[in-house]
Amino acid sequence: IRTDLMAKNEAWVAPELGDTSLADRYKQIAAMVKEKTGRAMQTKDRERVNKKTGKVTIVRGSTPLKEGVVVIKEDTTMKQLQNFCEVCKQRWGITALQIFIHRDEGHYINPGDTATWKPNLHAHIVWDWMNHDTGKSCKLDEKAMSEMQTLLAECLEMERGTSKKLTGKEHLERNDYILAKQKQEAEQVKAEREA
């Protein structure tokens, strides 16, 4: 984190959230679910057994608040991200509660060499993933999530990444991705020096 770049960070909070903490919002959602459905919100994963086949499936617990991280460009605006969130609300019923743009994070390709700074430009979006009319969570399948990525690229005027169905690549967890990327960049710098 570069403290000299912190002033470039931006934050937005939905007017409907106001000064309410996310913990309090979670409690409000739990009360809304109880009121609308007559049941407590299912927060824990549970197993469901098919009586005919004996097959066990895991039913995921409710996660009414979700956070997504999106890659942005240097000139990405809060207005573009808000537009993306509004389109998501209209299309899938999910509501953005907070958006944070981070322009101060990144890494040095060669530690100690400030000229090799590589920013990790991204934004965090915190979503309310519940339908407040029914008390049920919004369901987005793999196809919808892929559509969301395409929509994001359009809203931010960026090139859409290649689908993992086409590349055959597996998803890497954050830390594994960072290590793989740093290794790739270090090898590239080494090859350039040797050349």
Side-chain angles (χ1 to χ4, degrees), residues 94-144:
I94 58 177
T95 304
L97 298 175
Q98 299 174 334
I99 303 172
F100 301 98
I101 296 176
H102 291 245
R103 300 184 196 280
D104 61 341
E105 297 178 26
H107 68 279
Y108 294 98
I109 296 171
N110 291 326
D113 182 358
T114 56
T116 63
W117 172 255
K118 186 100 165 146
N120 174 15
L121 301 170
H122 65 282
H124 296 256
I125 304 174
V126 178
W127 302 93
D128 179 336
W129 214 263
M130 300 298 289
N131 180 324
H132 288 251
D133 293 330
T134 64
K136 298 189 178 200
S137 63
C138 300
K139 305 290 188 225
L140 276 73
D141 59 12
E142 217 173 287
K143 183 176 183 263

Side-chain angles (χ1 to χ4, degrees), residues 135-155:
K136 298 189 178 200
S137 63
C138 300
K139 305 290 188 225
L140 276 73
D141 59 12
E142 217 173 287
K143 183 176 183 263
M145 296 301 286
S146 180
E147 288 174 22
M148 186 184 288
Q149 291 174 344
T150 301
L151 178 66
L152 176 66
E154 290 169 3
C155 288

